[in-house]
Amino acid sequence: MNTPEEKQEAWNRHWKAGHLSSLSSANQTTEAPEAFAAWEAFFSYFNTGAIILDIATGNGIVPALAQAHAKQHGKKLEIVAIDKADIDPEETLKDNAEAVKGTLFIGGVEAEDLPFEDGWFDAITGQYALEYTFTDRSIPEIGRVLKKDGIIRFVCHARDGVI
C-alpha cells in the first residue's frame, strides 16, 4: 500500500466498514480519555449558532462529540465535516448514526482546497487529520476560511508515541 490511490482506497474501506473513528476499538472514549475530555472542554467555548468545520473527519468522531456536547448543554452547533474519502456516516455507522445526526458531511473534499467562503467558520477541528494533509497548502486554506477571531483545535499523532 504505497501509492496515494492505494492509501485512499484503504481509508474508503475503513470508513465504509462503519468505524466511528480511526481508533480500532468500539469503546473509543476509554482508549484516549484525555483527548475526549479536551474536546469536551473545547466545545464549551461555543454558543448556539457557532459554525464548526471538521477536516479529515472520517465517519465523524469529532462531530459526534460536538453534537453530544451541544445536546447535553442545550446548544445547537452548525457542523460541517469534510474528508477526502468517500464518506457517508449516516449510512455506514448504522448503530452510531444518531451520534452524527445534524452534521453536514461532504466527501471527496481535500483540506488543501476548501470550497467555502473566506472567514466562514468560528472553529476548525481535526483529530488525526492535519498530519494527513499537505500542510504547506492546508494550513493557509484553514486560515482563509476561519473567522479572524476563530479558534482551531487539532489532535495529532505524537512523534514516536501516543497522543
Side-chain angles (χ1 to χ4, degrees):
M1 185 168 37
N2 295 327
T3 70
E5 293 79 15
E6 290 171 325
K7 290 177 183 178
Q8 187 61 51
E9 186 52 37
W11 279 117
N12 288 343
R13 285 192 309 272
H14 180 80
W15 299 126
K16 286 180 181 180
H19 300 286
L20 186 55
S21 83
S22 58
L23 298 175
S24 58
S25 171
N27 193 5
Q28 294 158 26
T29 57
T30 59
E31 285 187 7
E34 300 86 0
F36 291 93
W39 284 119
E40 175 70 17
F42 178 75
F43 292 122
S44 70
Y45 289 115
F46 302 100
N47 295 318
T48 291
I51 306 169
I52 299 170
L53 173 65
D54 189 51
I55 68 163
T57 195
N59 273 341
I61 186 64
V62 174
L65 295 169
Q67 296 290 10
H69 171 85
K71 185 175 181 180
Q72 181 180 10
H73 297 281
K75 302 185 225 180
K76 183 160 177 49
L77 303 174
E78 186 175 331
I79 303 168
V80 178
I82 60 108
D83 200 292
K84 184 178 179 180
D86 180 20
I87 56 168
D88 186 3
E90 292 176 341
E91 175 65 27
T92 56
L93 285 177
K94 297 176 183 41
D95 295 339
N96 291 317
E98 188 65 28
V100 296
K101 188 175 182 176
T103 299
L104 172 62
F105 287 95
I106 309 170
V109 175
E110 297 180 356
E112 298 85 356
D113 188 23
L114 297 170
F116 306 108
E117 294 179 28
D118 295 358
W120 187 255
F121 295 96
D122 296 295
I124 300 179
T125 61
Q127 180 161 292
Y128 312 128
L130 194 60
E131 63 270 40
Y132 292 100
T133 71
F134 294 101
T135 55
D136 61 325
R137 296 189 348 245
S138 63
I139 290 174
E141 272 295 274
I142 289 165
R144 181 184 66 77
V145 300
L146 185 66
K147 289 181 179 176
K148 289 193 185 305
D149 61 347
I151 303 171
I152 62 170
R153 163 80 45 109
F154 290 100
V155 173
C156 298
H157 295 287
R159 183 182 205 162
D160 301 324
V162 297
I163 56 170

